[in-house]
Amino acid sequence: MIRALRLQTSAILLGGLLAGTVLQTEALAQEGPGQGYVRIARGAYSVVAEVRAKPGKETELRAITLPLIDLVRSDPANLVYFLQESRETPGHFIFYEIFANETDFEAHNAMPYVKEWFAKLPELADGGVKVMRMQILAPASD
């Protein structure tokens, strides 16, 4: 009898573990690799920007730029934000940003923290920011 109870308890625990694994797998399928792309509509407003530090100002430019990551990503209108730095040329930064539309992007640029960052660039950046304004393309079936 004790053995039967142990087997039954083991079967119940195993069943629960398997059910949990199935639920976890289903959640990963919905949120797994590539699933975030559905949030970004064809025609979304994309920006690729580039800024280079003046010689000797790489550390200072990096220091004022890194906080932008959390600030921009916390903006509900921002869909994607990546800050990248060249491995070969420290102080050469590339920004990749996606907003639903130009209005959202311009509202982002009007934020006090963005204006403050731009105000510091003449002292730290060589030539300011070069910006490419783009649109997201997607296959016709999307």
Side-chain angles (χ1 to χ4, degrees):
M1 178 128 175
I2 292 174
R3 186 168 188 231
L5 281 173
R6 284 185 183 157
L7 286 173
Q8 188 178 17
T9 302
S10 294
I12 291 170
L13 290 173
L14 181 59
L17 288 172
L18 290 174
T21 301
V22 168
L23 290 174
Q24 237 179 355
T25 303
E26 289 174 0
L28 285 174
Q30 293 172 5
E31 299 172 8
Q35 295 304 309
Y37 293 113
V38 297
R39 292 182 31 215
I40 301 171
R42 182 180 329 150
Y45 200 81
S46 172
V47 173
V48 178
E50 174 182 34
V51 64
R52 295 176 187 260
K54 289 182 177 180
K57 298 291 185 174
E58 297 86 358
T59 302
E60 289 178 69
L61 182 56
R62 186 180 305 106
I64 69 158
T65 304
L66 282 173
L68 293 178
I69 296 169
D70 288 337
L71 291 166
V72 177
R73 287 181 178 178
S74 69
D75 180 344
N78 175 256
L79 301 175
V80 173
Y81 182 85
F82 286 102
L83 171 63
Q84 303 164 90
E85 184 175 10
S86 171
R87 293 177 189 267
E88 290 82 27
T89 311
H92 179 192
F93 298 96
I94 301 290
F95 301 79
Y96 182 68
E97 308 174 45
I98 300 177
F99 292 85
N101 52 55
E102 185 176 6
T103 301
D104 287 350
F105 175 69
E106 295 304 334
H108 155 73
N109 277 344
M111 299 296 283
Y113 63 86
V114 175
K115 288 181 173 186
E116 182 180 312
W117 182 81
F118 272 107
K120 295 176 182 175
L121 287 185
E123 175 187 327
L124 303 174
D126 189 14
V129 180
K130 295 178 185 170
V131 177
M132 289 188 295
R133 296 169 182 252
M134 307 176 86
Q135 67 175 321
I136 299 296
L137 301 178
S141 62
D142 286 351

